[in-house]
Amino acid sequence: MSVTIQDILTLPALTGARLLTNTSGANRVVTSISVLEYASPTPVQAEITDAIHFEGNELIITSFANIANDVEAQCSNIKRFAQVGEVGLVLYYVGILMPKVDERLVQLADELGFVIILMPENDASLAYANVISDVMQAIFLD
């Protein structure tokens, strides 16, 4: 048995989270979780991303903090991570850092089979560590 997006959505740390993309992605397997800290699509980000060996099926946590108002940059990140085999992302702090999720982001993710999970909006009390711990425990116990 493998841990899927659907399984992850039932974890305690994801209470109130919702899948923004189509439900066909809910069956995708997740093997790891990571944090996207630097989301600006610059040559530096490309160099860092190119240097990393991605195993695939990783779920990424981000708030797109430094590109909160740049939908094109957000889309660029989704394209890049879908190309290297990542499963999707967990989006934090919408309504606080990022004003809203643009429909273009959801449409692109759907086209690429990339999952977007939206954490409860306007909630500054949410911590990345809780999702990381719950997801890694589920993967480890599997």
Side-chain angles (χ1 to χ4, degrees):
M1 184 173 163
S2 298
V3 177
T4 66
I5 294 292
Q6 190 61 49
D7 297 327
I8 286 170
L9 287 168
T10 67
L11 296 173
L14 282 103
T15 299
R18 60 190 172 97
L19 191 60
L20 292 184
T21 48
N22 69 49
T23 56
S24 66
N27 293 323
R28 298 211 48 202
V29 173
V30 177
T31 59
S32 186
I33 190 162
S34 182
V35 174
L36 174 62
E37 180 178 20
Y38 182 71
S40 294
T42 64
V44 171
Q45 187 205 38
E47 181 180 339
I48 292 168
T49 304
D50 289 345
I52 296 170
H53 172 71
F54 290 92
E55 296 292 329
N57 290 35
E58 186 173 62
L59 188 61
I60 300 166
I61 294 178
T62 191
S63 65
F64 284 143
N66 66 323
I67 57 169
N69 295 301
D70 188 345
V71 178
E72 291 305 316
Q74 295 164 13
C75 288
S76 178
N77 275 275
I78 285 180
K79 286 177 193 171
R80 183 121 175 119
F81 288 111
Q83 287 172 346
V84 296
E86 304 301 62
V87 167
L89 60 85
V90 180
L91 191 54
Y92 272 75
Y93 309 129
V94 172
I96 298 169
L97 296 176
M98 188 173 159
K100 67 182 182 83
V101 179
D102 192 283
E103 187 56 35
R104 292 174 288 176
L105 195 65
V106 176
Q107 288 174 348
L108 175 63
D110 275 336
E111 290 169 16
L112 297 173
F114 194 82
V115 172
I116 300 175
I117 298 170
L118 178 64
M119 292 300 285
E121 296 177 70
N122 299 304
D123 190 345
S125 72
L126 300 171
Y128 287 5
N130 296 336
V131 170
I132 292 169
S133 294
D134 279 7
V135 170
M136 288 310 299
Q137 180 179 21
I139 291 168
F140 179 74
L141 292 175
D142 182 60

